[in-house]
């Protein structure tokens, strides 16, 4: 077993997926929702994200090549979708004293699964790591690293929900707007990287 390869894969997924950042964004998008609702959303997102990563790990290179789609094009598309969510986080009405969730619709698939948990960066990393794997054991290690990172994201998201009782209305609004700005910056970075790869 190549422990170095596994640790490199795990570190790469932790950086790209960013469980802490995902957890904070999840919190800001689910203000006022019940714990049961949060758990249900997270478990659905976990299943979908794990399935997408597994699919791309096994068939990613062949699938994209057959469709004529580059990962850079996927980065641009994911960045645009992410910016749309960020814009709504920044410009939405202030959260009331007894808040309801920020009205961004069902966040299970978008933006929680795509592009946060299984976005262009994660899918690109998966394809590259699987291409670098020299044995079925290393391919298994890639998938294990990805799934452990997703589990960490879910666990931190559940812990982040407890911030609700500590922050209050003003804290909620500040975090929502600040995270919206950070999310917008991340979206622009996705788009910029994609455009650079497509045209430069």
């Amino acid at each position: 077993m190549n422990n170095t390869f596994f640790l490199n894969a795990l570190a790469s997924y932790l950086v790209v997926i960013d469980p802490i950042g995902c957890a904070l964004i999840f919190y800001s998008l689910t203000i006022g929702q019940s714990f049961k609702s949060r758990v249900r959303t997270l478990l659905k997102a976990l299943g979908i994200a794990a399935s997408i990563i597994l699919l791309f790990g096994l068939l990613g290179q062949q699938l994209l090549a057959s469709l004529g789609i580059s990962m850079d094009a996927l980065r641009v598309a994911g960045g645009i979708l992410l910016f749309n969510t960020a814009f709504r986080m920044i410009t939405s009405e202030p959260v009331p004293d007894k808040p309801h969730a920020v009205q961004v619709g069902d966040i299970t698939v978008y933006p929680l699964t795509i592009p946060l948990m299984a976005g262009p960066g994660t899918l690109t990393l998966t394809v590259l790591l699987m291409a670098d794997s020299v044995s079925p054991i290393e391919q298994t290690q890639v998938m294990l690293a990805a799934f452990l990172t997703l589990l960490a994201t879910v666990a931190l998201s559940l812990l982040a929900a407890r911030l609700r009782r500590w922050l209050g209305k003003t804290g909620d609004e500040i975090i929502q707007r600040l995270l919206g700005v950070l999310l917008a910056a991340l979206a622009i970075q996705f788009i910029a990287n994609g455009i650079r790869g497509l045209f430069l």
Side-chain angles (χ1 to χ4, degrees), residues 41-132:
T41 297
L42 284 168
L43 290 180
K44 286 173 61 179
L46 174 64
I48 297 171
S51 299
I52 292 174
I53 291 173
L54 180 61
L55 175 65
F56 263 76
L58 298 176
L59 304 172
Q61 290 175 296
Q62 300 94 316
L63 178 63
L64 292 177
S66 65
L67 295 175
I69 299 174
S70 69
M71 292 306 299
D72 289 311
L74 198 59
R75 285 190 184 96
V76 174
I80 293 172
L81 293 174
L82 193 60
F83 185 84
N84 181 52
T85 293
F87 182 79
R88 285 196 268 178
M89 287 172 64
I90 296 169
T91 60
S92 63
E93 293 295 322
V95 180
D97 291 324
K98 294 184 178 180
H100 300 286
V102 179
Q103 296 302 310
V104 294
D106 184 359
I107 66 168
T108 302
V109 175
Y110 161 72
L112 187 55
T113 300
I114 302 171
L116 294 178
M117 295 172 70
T122 303
L123 300 182
T124 302
L125 177 63
T126 300
V127 172
L128 293 176
L129 287 174
M130 293 296 281
D132 290 340

Side-chain angles (χ1 to χ4, degrees), residues 174-189:
I174 292 172
I175 286 182
Q176 179 184 322
R177 268 58 175 186
L178 286 178
L179 289 179
V181 172
L182 294 176
L183 195 57
L186 177 62
I188 296 300
Q189 189 63 58

